[in-house]
Structures are given as C-alpha cells and as structure tokens.
Amino acid sequence: MLNSQINQTHSLSNLLPLQNPFVAGDATTHSSSSAYSPAILRHPTATKKSNATRSRSTSAGKIKAITIPFLTKTTVKGVITIQPAISSAIAGVGIGGVADGVSDLLGRSFLLELVSNDLDSKGKQKTVKAYARYEALDFDINVYTYKCDFDVPEDFGEIGAILVENEYSKKMFFKKIVLNNNITFTCESWVASKYDNPDKRIFFSDKSYLPSETPEGLKSLREKDMESLRGNGQGERKSSDRIYDYDVYDDLGAPDMSLSLARPVLGGNDHPYPRRCRTGRPMSTKDPLSETRTLLPFYVPSDEDFSEIKEVNFGARALYSVLHAVVPTLDAIITDKDKGFPLFRTIDMLYDQGVNVPAPDNGLKTVLPRLVKGAVDTVDAVIQFETPATIDRDTFSWFRDEEFCRQMLAGLNPYTIQLVTEWPLTSKLDPQVYGPQESGITKEIVEQEIKGFMTLEQALAEKKLFMLDYNDLLLPYVNKTRELNGTTLYGSRTLMFLTPTGTLRPLAIELTRPPSDDKPQWKHVYTPAWDATGAWLWKMAKAQVLSHDSAYHQLVSHWLRTHCVMEPYIIATNRHLSQMHPIRRLLLPHLRYTMQINALARLALINAGGIIESTFSPGKYSMQICSDAYDQLWRFDQESLPADLISRGLAVEDPNSPHGLKLTIEDYPYANDGLLLWDAIKQWATSYVNHYYPKANLIESDVELTQWWDEIRTVGHGDKKDEPWWPQLKTQEDLIGIVSTIMWVGSGHHSAVNFGQYDFAGYFPNRPTMARTKMPNEDPTEEEWQSFIKRPEDALLKCFPSQIQATQVMSVLDVLSSHSPDEEYIGGYIEPAWAAEPAIKAAFEEFRGSLEKLEGIIDSRNVDPKLHNRSGAGLVPYQLLKPFSGPGVTGRGVPNSISI
C-alpha cells in the first residue's frame, strides 16, 4: 500500500469509473480476470472454480468443444505503463487510498486481448483475454503500473497485436505494454473510455511490416485501425476523437463577432493553400463559407494532444498564457494604442526596469519565469524582458550596414536572399495596373557603389550581386494596406555586393508605391550616403525593408514552409500508413506535437485580429500574402536544403565539392551548417529505406505508401495537384528524397527560423515587424519634411511599432524561442521500433554520431577568424543548427519536430 498520507484526490477521477463498469450486462460477460476466445479451453483437470469462471467469460455462450482435449498453456505476463497528468507528476502526487478503490473493481481496469499473427484452422483470429490490475505508481519515472496474466495456448503462435478496452470513465494515456516473452507494444496514445468509444483500441508490436508482409492474423486489424482514423467526413469532432480529415482554412475569420473580422477562405482556386485538419464546427450565420470559432483550443485528434502528459508542450501552454493573460494585460495598461517610444532610452527600459502590471493570476509566473518577474508589492508584478543576445554583445549592431546584410546569411531569415542573374531588374506585374516594370536601380547606381571593384557586367558574371526581392509579392497589397490605420507598405528590392572578404555590402534599396486613383507610381532608390539627410533616409529605408523581411519570415519562411505544409503530411500519414508501417515509424518523431501548436496558431496568432494582423505591416492582408507565396513560390521539390539553395542561385551542383554542392557565398553559416545536418538526415533515411525496401518493386507494390503519397499531393496539397514538379514515387531514391525532405522541414528548417527569434528580434529596432509611417521624402508636406530635418530620430521612432505592438511581439517571441525541459532533439532518442531491429539500431547510432560531430564542427567554425560572417567583434555565434540544447532561450538546438 502506498503511503496513505500522500494526497489522494488528484487521480480519483482518472483511475475510477464514475459508475460500475460491470453493470448492465458486463457482470455476465466479464466476470474473471482472464477470458478466452471460442477456440481456447482450459485443461480438463483444472479446478471447478476455474471452470466455472471460464463458463462466464466473454465468449461463454459461444464456446464449442474442440478435438484437442489436452491443450497446454503458458502464462504470459504483461506490464502496462500509464502516464499520469503532468501536473500530478510534477507535484509528485500519488494515488494513496485509490488503490483500495481499484481493488474493489476486482482488477478490472483494462480488458486486454492478445492477437496471434496466425489464423486458426478455420481462418479466424486467435485471441486470449485478460484483465489488468493496478500495481503501483512509480515515482522515479512518473508512470502508473498495471499487470496482467494471460494463459496462452502453446500453439497460439507469435503475438502480433493487442486490443485494449478502457474500463475507466476517463481517457488514459498508454505509454507501452511489455510482455515477458520479449514482445513490446509501444503505444504512446490516449485510449478513450469505453463509455465514450466502445471500439477496442488496436496496438501492434514494435516489429515493422510492409503491407505485403503483414501476418495473416493481423491483416484485418491493420485495415480496421486505419479506417477508424479516417472517419466519414461528417459531424463535429469531439475531443475524444482520433479522426484525421482535411478541410480548408475557413476558420481564421470571425464574421459572427464583426463583419470587419471576416476573412477569405484559404484553399481553393481563389486562394490556394495547404489543407488543415477538419474540425466540423457549424458554419457562420453571417458568412456561410466560414466556420464558427471557439474560445477554447481547436480540435486536434486526441493522439496529437500531449498537453496533459508531456512537458514538451510547455511551450504551447506558455504561448497560450502569453496570448490570453500577458497580451491582454499589456493591452489594458497601455491605453494609447498608437503611442510609440519617445526615446531609444525608453526602449532600453523594457530590459532594465520592465513594465509594472497588475499581479497575474496564480501560476503565470511559474509558466513564464523569464517574463513575469517577482511582485513589486502585493498588487503589482513586473513584465521585464531579458536582453537579447545581439544587443547584449553589441548595443549598436542593429545600426550597422554590415550586420544588416550578415543577418541575411546568419540570422533569422536566411531563406530569402537570392543571386541576381538578369539585368535590368524588372517586375512581372501588369504595368497597366502597377506602373513601369523596370527597376529604378540602374547600372550607373550600381557601378557608383562598387567603383574600384569591377563593372556591373563583371559582377553579374562572377556572381557577386545578391538581393532581397519583395517587390512583386507585396506591391499588389500596398494601396490596400495603406487604407488601414497605423501602417504602411511598399514593394521593395535590396541589392548587395559580395566583397573580397566574403561579406555582403548593401548597394541600394528600392521602395515602390503603385499608382492609385489620384497619384502616379512613386519609386525611389536609396543608397548608403555620406551626408546627414541621406544617411537618415537610408536608415529609414532599411527599417522599411526589415519590416517586409519580418513579415515574410513569419508568414512564409516560418509558418507556411514549416508549420502549415507539415499538417497534410501528418494527416495523410495517420490515414494511410499503419502503426506497423516502417515509414510511419521513421516519420513519427518529426510529426509529433505539430498539429496542436498549429491549432493554437489558428486560434490566436494568424486569425483575424490576432497577433500577426495586429503587429505586422500587412495587417488584415497577412494571410492572403501567405496564400500568394504558396501559390507563386512553394514547390515540394525545392524544400530540401540542397534544392532550395540551388533554386536561389546560392549553390550549384558539383560532385567534387563537399555535399555535392559548390556554394556561391562560401561563408554562408546557415548553408554550411545546414548541409552537414541535411547529409546526416539523408544518410539515416537511406539506410532505413534500403533496409525495408531492398528492391525498387517493393515501393510501387506498397499500397499504403502509394496511397499516402497520392493523398498528400492530390488532397493535402490539392491546389497544386497538377504541378509537374511533384517527385514520383517509384524507387528507393524517390522515397529517400521525399522522407528526407519532410524530416528536414520539421527539424532543421524550422529550427533555423524559430529558435533565434528572440535573440534577433527581441530588440525590435533590429527587426521591426511593422513600419507605421511612410518615408519622409514620399510626397511630404513642408511641415512633415521640416519635422524630419529637425528631429530625424523622432521620425524613425514613429516608424517603429507602437509600445503595445512591440511588447506584445516581444512576449510572444520570448516563448516561441524557448526549448521545453524535456525537448526531443534530433538524434537524441531511439524509437523502440528502431531499437528492436539490429540493422536499424546500428544505422541510428551512426546518425547520432554524425550529429555529435556536427556540434564540434559548429563550435570550431564560430571561432575561425577567417569566417567573417560568424566570427568577429560583438557577433552572436551562429549555432541555431547545433543539434542539442538545454531548456530555455539558448539560440541553438534542433528538435525532431515543430513543437512550438
């Protein structure tokens, strides 16, 4: 008996049914701790008590005599581990007297049924049943333990599956079931109460099988399990459901709350977009194309909800706390929503002194210890921001041109810079609508800036010119955005030159406003200047470009290219790849936790009036721009790191170079580190795929695999189903490329754009998310121009986000940049199914070794004085792709999946 003084209340509702589970028929069908299928009878010499017990078993009324009267049996012992709620585990709370309550259930906590790989002589499944009994709470590993004994006939054959019925009134999280004959069922899944879902849960052993290799006794279960996950596309989903289905993004707007919050549906011909998980909520009464919203987290299939049992969802809980407690608190105390920062010193005070706020509700300081500091008195607390690494090392780094360019290679958004291959620079937009297509950045401007180095023609030929090009993506939204309050927008191009030292030097920034009803196109080119007015205009032009880059980073490089495009992969994997499919088991670590954080994003980040719309320049048009980027720019075949670099002109194929690529910019920290990580992932995928598919014909004959890939292309990314660039799936190399890309996007790509957010953007002048005012020289009044001339610093501060916008973004970025205490880093943990196969285990150990070497390589690169883009006075070392990290905001660490 556990110590009776331990708090006995926390698990009562989880461990005990609210009603006797053996009433209304159960008493006559499940009256013993062991039950057997019709084909299994106890030895005739068994005790009368045992025979009587068997006569009342589940199949009592159906048992028929068999011709083998002396069938011997072996006792197989099973141990089930159940994960308690995280709050209970953290508090060290036991169940105490609840064990007495469990004993009242006569050991009937879970009904388990072993299933043989073989069919019996009549072609039917062979099964053996037993009830599990509660054993103990293991404080060391924070799991509840249950045990059961199965009497298994000697001719039962190999055990391949287990069926579970949860007799409790609450869902329970099964970690694993281990039999003493060396068979393990790794569950990691919620099992609903039989009162919520009467269907038995199916779990398969850790041994992987291709569909064609499935043992006869498991074939029907394999298909039945996947059918249960697909659903029928009808009805509103409940939290206990495990249904994976597709829908368009029709739940970002809230027209029932206000017509100003209506938003177009993303997904379809008008606004192409990946699909999300279907929730089935009722449609809006004011907009029949929009789904209604809820104040609670949106539905995700129950196995995607880890919030109750995993600290890895600390980030999701912390983000929820920021969005629903800190952000409203800041909103309440900053009454003037348009008020900016009057001085740069005022910005510094956010880190030195913080903001006094009313004391938050209980628990918030525990969830957000970096953000919510100790109470000033009994009434107030302090929201105080940590000094970001970039500013901590160099207070003025954000002001410098070289850092402006360096961060395009070693900063938060290294995905956009591209090689200039054609001249002159021109737009592809309709000149009748948007004005002249040719850029204002002329040959003369370029050669004036690179005088003494080379001509424009030489710079193009030698691959020395690079740019950020946000002109055509943003220009269609400039006039619409300018109609919104408190923001502005331009189309922009930023041109840079690769110097002999391997660093980038800015040459010119072009800002464009298209024609409107009463004004012609406005276009201006800014260059680094040596006079006071020109120098301040250049600084303000950089702020405009950084606001564009911030929006593109968050909407495209981050949300679209990682979170959003991964959701169809997750849905298709659960609908078409069985638990026992080796490719599902390869991908699963890279798919965990993502749907839950995506649902939270739809709830409060990318929704109408959410953080993105409130604090980024495009405002209400943010997600439409995201849709345009998907339509115009996203291609699966260019999402692998090598293909992405080649598509932007940052690399060319070269079999004589490391990784088979020659980089256009040799000192490109993101690419240099990323290619080592990419190679390790691809080698691991190669070993894994070739083990299970030694011949190419096994790929095309794998029905589950072909259906999975077909549904990803034609449904999950259905708006691009007819694109010719989709990879075929016919050979091992095809499959290796596909799975490597998915694994990379969920791990390396996401880490590169996520975990540096606070370090690079926590001091918002370095990466302002919004430009609130137009350039001083764009059609100014005399008063506006004189105001700029007298106090140019004021003009820059007015352009930056307001106080409420800045503090809201900083609060969110702090959480998004944090690693949870039990983060699951790439290569850090071997999945049980991999460990069960010696060849796969050896390949994984090789993978882990490659990642450990990568840690040391990155460290050595960051102290190499020849690498000016990562080593130098005041520079933050580039370590976003170092695989491992401690908890918190560390600026490094590559988790397996998108968990925040």
Side-chain angles (χ1 to χ4, degrees):
M1 179 68 69
L2 295 171
N3 190 332
S4 60
Q5 295 180 350
I6 294 176
N7 187 325
Q8 301 175 9
T9 62
H10 94 282
S11 296
L12 187 60
S13 63
N14 286 337
L15 290 175
L16 292 179
L18 297 179
Q19 62 187 62
N20 190 325
F22 306 108
V23 177
D26 284 38
T28 60
T29 58
H30 296 307
S31 58
S32 81
S33 61
S34 298
Y36 301 91
S37 65
I40 303 171
L41 295 178
R42 181 172 285 277
H43 192 287
T45 59
T47 64
K48 290 182 180 180
K49 180 177 179 181
S50 296
N51 284 328
T53 297
R54 298 303 178 266
S55 70
R56 296 193 301 273
S57 69
T58 302
S59 306
K62 303 177 183 177
I63 292 180
K64 298 181 181 178
I66 58 176
T67 57
I68 305 177
F70 299 103
L71 190 63
T72 57
K73 295 180 173 64
T74 300
T75 298
V76 174
K77 296 181 178 296
V79 177
I80 304 103
T81 51
I82 303 294
Q83 177 76 57
I86 189 170
S87 57
S88 305
I90 291 175
V93 179
I95 58 172
V98 173
D100 294 331
V102 174
S103 66
D104 291 340
L105 296 177
L106 302 177
R108 297 168 178 173
S109 307
F110 307 111
L111 176 61
L112 307 178
E113 187 172 357
L114 300 180
V115 182
S116 171
N117 281 354
D118 305 324
L119 298 174
D120 65 16
S121 59
K122 296 183 178 179
K124 296 183 178 180
Q125 282 181 340
K126 293 193 285 187
T127 64
V128 179
K129 297 180 182 178
Y131 278 101
R133 61 187 181 278
Y134 173 75
E135 186 73 14
L137 170 63
D138 189 324
F139 287 95
D140 292 332
I141 57 175
N142 291 317
V143 294
Y144 295 118
T145 302
Y146 292 74
K147 292 186 177 180
C148 58
D149 298 330
F150 299 92
D151 290 337
V152 180
E154 288 191 355
D155 68 345
F156 190 73
E158 184 179 353
I159 298 167
I162 191 166
L163 311 181
V164 178
E165 184 175 84
N166 177 8
E167 305 291 337
Y168 291 128
S169 62
K170 301 290 186 181
K171 66 179 181 179
M172 305 290 272
F173 191 83
F174 276 61
K175 289 189 67 63
K176 62 182 177 180
I177 302 170
V178 180
L179 306 181
N180 67 341
N181 59 356
N182 295 321
I183 295 177
T184 299
F185 304 89
T186 300
C187 308
E188 295 291 335
S189 176
W190 290 104
V191 177
S193 165
K194 72 176 185 179
Y195 306 108
D196 293 325
N197 186 345
D199 295 333
K200 296 177 182 177
R201 277 299 307 279
I202 303 167
F203 294 110
F204 297 101
S205 74
D206 285 351
K207 187 173 182 179
S208 297
Y209 295 98
L210 298 180
S212 61
E213 299 168 344
T214 310
E216 290 296 322
L218 306 182
K219 285 183 176 178
S220 63
L221 289 179
R222 184 169 186 150
E223 181 55 35
K224 181 179 179 181
D225 184 49
M226 285 188 292
E227 285 180 356
S228 71
L229 295 170
R230 294 177 194 140
N232 59 9
Q234 303 296 316
E236 183 173 357
R237 299 271 62 88
K238 307 187 299 291
S239 61
S240 60
D241 287 343
R242 295 173 60 243
I243 305 300
Y244 294 79
D245 203 356
Y246 302 94
D247 206 346
V248 293
Y249 280 73
D250 59 358
D251 63 346
L252 301 182
D256 288 343
M257 184 180 299
S258 170
L259 288 179
S260 67
L261 295 176
R263 295 292 181 269
V265 173
L266 302 186
N269 293 333
D270 292 339
H271 300 286
Y273 215 59
R275 299 303 189 256
R276 64 167 174 92
C277 184
R278 180 184 176 276
T279 63
R281 296 190 301 270
M283 304 307 285
S284 162
T285 56
K286 294 185 178 179
D287 179 5
L289 297 179
S290 295
E291 192 173 79
T292 55
R293 293 173 58 81
T294 174
L295 296 178
L296 301 174
F298 291 168
Y299 163 81
V300 294
S302 60
D303 282 352
E304 305 297 330
D305 182 2
F306 294 85
S307 59
E308 294 182 45
I309 46 82
K310 288 289 286 184
E311 280 191 71
V312 77
N313 271 78
F314 164 85
R317 295 195 304 277
L319 181 58
Y320 190 85
S321 298
V322 165
L323 295 173
H324 291 83
V326 174
V327 168
T329 298
L330 290 167
D331 194 51
I333 65 170
I334 302 176
T335 55
D336 184 354
K337 302 302 182 280
D338 296 325
K339 185 178 181 180
F341 291 88
L343 301 167
F344 278 94
R345 176 59 189 154
T346 317
I347 300 173
D348 294 339
M349 290 173 62
L350 295 173
Y351 313 99
D352 299 338
Q353 300 179 19
V355 180
N356 287 349
V357 297
D361 294 337
N362 292 336
L364 190 58
K365 185 176 183 297
T366 302
V367 177
L368 302 168
R370 269 176 53 94
L371 200 57
V372 181
K373 307 300 181 184
V376 176
D377 49 41
T378 57
V379 178
D380 291 339
V382 176
I383 294 178
Q384 183 177 347
F385 298 94
E386 299 287 338
T387 303
T390 50
I391 303 305
D392 189 46
R393 283 177 174 257
D394 183 350
T395 304
F396 301 105
S397 61
W398 69 277
F399 218 58
R400 299 199 317 268
D401 286 352
E402 64 271 22
E403 183 65 8
F404 170 70
C405 292
R406 188 189 74 88
Q407 289 185 19
M408 299 176 195
L409 303 174
L412 194 54
N413 186 26
Y415 280 88
T416 312
I417 185 172
Q418 59 183 289
L419 178 69
V420 176
T421 58
E422 297 180 355
W423 198 268
L425 303 176
T426 57
S427 170
K428 296 179 181 178
L429 298 176
D430 185 352
Q432 298 298 318
V433 177
Y434 300 103
Q437 294 176 310
E438 189 165 319
S439 169
I441 303 176
T442 63
K443 174 180 178 179
E444 291 72 25
I445 290 175
V446 173
E447 292 190 338
Q448 177 65 34
E449 295 299 318
I450 62 173
K451 186 185 299 182
F453 284 104
M454 59 187 66
T455 65
L456 171 65
E457 289 75 16
Q458 287 175 308
L460 289 169
E462 296 180 23
K463 299 183 178 180
K464 299 295 185 182
L465 293 180
F466 298 85
M467 70 173 171
L468 295 186
D469 188 357
Y470 297 131
N471 188 77
D472 285 11
L473 184 66
L474 298 182
L475 208 58
Y477 292 90
V478 168
N479 289 332
K480 292 189 288 187
T481 298
R482 286 179 168 221
E483 294 175 359
L484 306 176
N485 290 328
T487 186
T488 195
L489 194 64
Y490 294 95
S492 70
R493 293 186 180 96
T494 304
L495 191 67
M496 292 153 287
F497 175 72
L498 183 63
T499 70
T501 61
T503 59
L504 291 171
R505 171 183 165 184
L507 302 181
I509 291 173
E510 178 184 44
L511 300 179
T512 303
R513 180 198 70 201
S516 60
D517 292 338
D518 56 344
K519 295 180 180 178
Q521 183 192 71
W522 181 90
K523 184 180 294 182
H524 193 87
V525 176
Y526 302 87
T527 58
W530 301 99
D531 65 284
T533 301
W536 273 103
L537 287 173
W538 171 251
K539 291 177 179 63
M540 296 196 67
K542 286 197 299 181
Q544 296 285 345
V545 168
L546 286 168
S547 74
H548 304 163
D549 194 59
S550 293
Y552 189 92
H553 159 261
Q554 205 63 263
L555 293 169
V556 182
S557 300
H558 186 192
W559 165 256
L560 173 65
R561 291 183 63 182
T562 64
H563 289 260
C564 186
V565 301
M566 286 293 286
E567 191 145 335
Y569 310 152
I570 299 168
I571 298 171
T573 298
N574 283 278
R575 287 168 59 87
H576 290 291
L577 297 184
S578 165
Q579 290 179 46
M580 64 175 76
H581 198 290
I583 298 302
R584 173 193 170 90
R585 285 174 163 162
L586 173 66
L587 292 177
L588 191 59
H590 304 282
L591 308 180
R592 291 191 185 112
Y593 318 120
T594 301
M595 286 186 73
Q596 189 173 38
I597 200 70
N598 284 4
L600 181 55
R602 298 198 334 264
L603 181 68
L605 281 175
I606 63 172
N607 60 300
I611 291 295
I612 296 294
E613 286 196 2
S614 302
T615 58
F616 285 77
S617 282
K620 64 183 288 187
Y621 301 106
S622 293
M623 294 308 292
Q624 290 184 52
I625 291 174
C626 186
S627 169
D628 288 351
Y630 176 71
D631 183 32
Q632 299 168 23
L633 304 173
W634 187 85
R635 296 174 47 152
F636 182 89
D637 66 327
Q638 293 181 356
E639 291 304 289
S640 72
L641 177 56
D644 172 65
L645 294 172
I646 291 170
S647 71
R648 293 187 283 123
L650 271 298
V652 294
E653 293 184 1
D654 181 358
N656 298 319
S657 297
H659 322 291
L661 293 179
K662 180 176 177 57
L663 293 179
T664 313
I665 301 176
E666 293 183 5
D667 183 13
Y668 187 179
Y670 159 72
N672 284 307
D673 296 354
L675 285 169
L676 287 171
L677 179 57
W678 165 264
D679 283 354
I681 290 172
K682 188 173 183 182
Q683 182 55 54
W684 158 234
T686 298
S687 299
Y688 191 99
V689 167
N690 286 337
H691 176 77
Y692 287 104
Y693 297 91
K695 298 180 181 179
N697 67 321
L698 292 173
I699 301 284
E700 290 191 272
S701 63
D702 188 330
V703 177
E704 289 182 11
L705 194 66
T706 54
Q707 290 177 344
W708 167 77
W709 183 235
D710 183 67
E711 190 168 277
I712 285 174
R713 293 181 294 109
T714 63
V715 183
H717 287 275
D719 296 333
K720 287 180 172 280
K721 66 180 184 299
D722 298 322
E723 296 287 355
W725 42 253
W726 282 104
Q728 293 183 320
L729 183 51
K730 294 185 177 181
T731 67
Q732 295 100 321
E733 192 60 34
D734 295 338
L735 181 56
I736 291 165
I738 290 168
V739 298
S740 297
T741 298
I742 293 173
M743 294 158 71
W744 162 258
V745 169
S747 58
H749 182 147
H750 179 258
S751 296
V753 297
N754 184 74
F755 292 105
Q757 290 192 88
Y758 192 76
D759 281 346
F760 286 103
Y763 183 75
F764 65 86
N766 187 56
R767 288 187 65 81
T769 59
M770 175 172 282
R772 295 192 297 154
T773 59
K774 63 183 177 65
M775 290 294 293
N777 65 320
E778 183 201 333
D779 302 334
T781 64
E782 181 63 23
E783 182 181 358
E784 289 172 339
W785 183 251
Q786 289 304 319
S787 176
F788 166 67
I789 292 297
K790 290 177 181 178
R791 287 282 300 175
E793 182 180 310
D794 289 351
L796 183 58
L797 287 166
K798 289 177 182 178
C799 182
F800 284 156
S802 67
Q803 292 188 24
I804 183 62
Q805 290 167 339
T807 51
Q808 285 180 346
V809 169
M810 291 161 64
S811 301
V812 172
L813 296 186
D814 183 272
V815 174
L816 293 180
S817 302
S818 297
H819 290 293
S820 66
D822 62 350
E823 189 79 85
E824 297 172 16
Y825 296 102
I826 190 167
Y829 170 77
I830 185 169
E831 295 288 313
W834 305 345
E837 181 61 52
I840 298 302
K841 182 179 180 181
F844 179 80
E845 293 300 332
E846 182 179 349
F847 176 50
R848 193 207 307 265
S850 298
L851 299 179
E852 291 171 350
K853 291 179 182 177
L854 176 56
E855 292 262 320
I857 292 171
I858 292 175
D859 286 339
S860 64
R861 287 173 172 174
N862 283 330
V863 295
D864 187 342
K866 297 189 298 295
L867 301 177
H868 300 291
N869 288 321
R870 64 193 308 158
S871 177
L875 294 187
V876 175
Y878 188 77
Q879 43 188 11
L880 286 170
L881 293 177
K882 287 188 71 171
F884 309 112
S885 171
V889 179
T890 65
R892 60 183 176 271
V894 180
N896 273 320
S897 64
I898 303 167
S899 57
I900 185 60

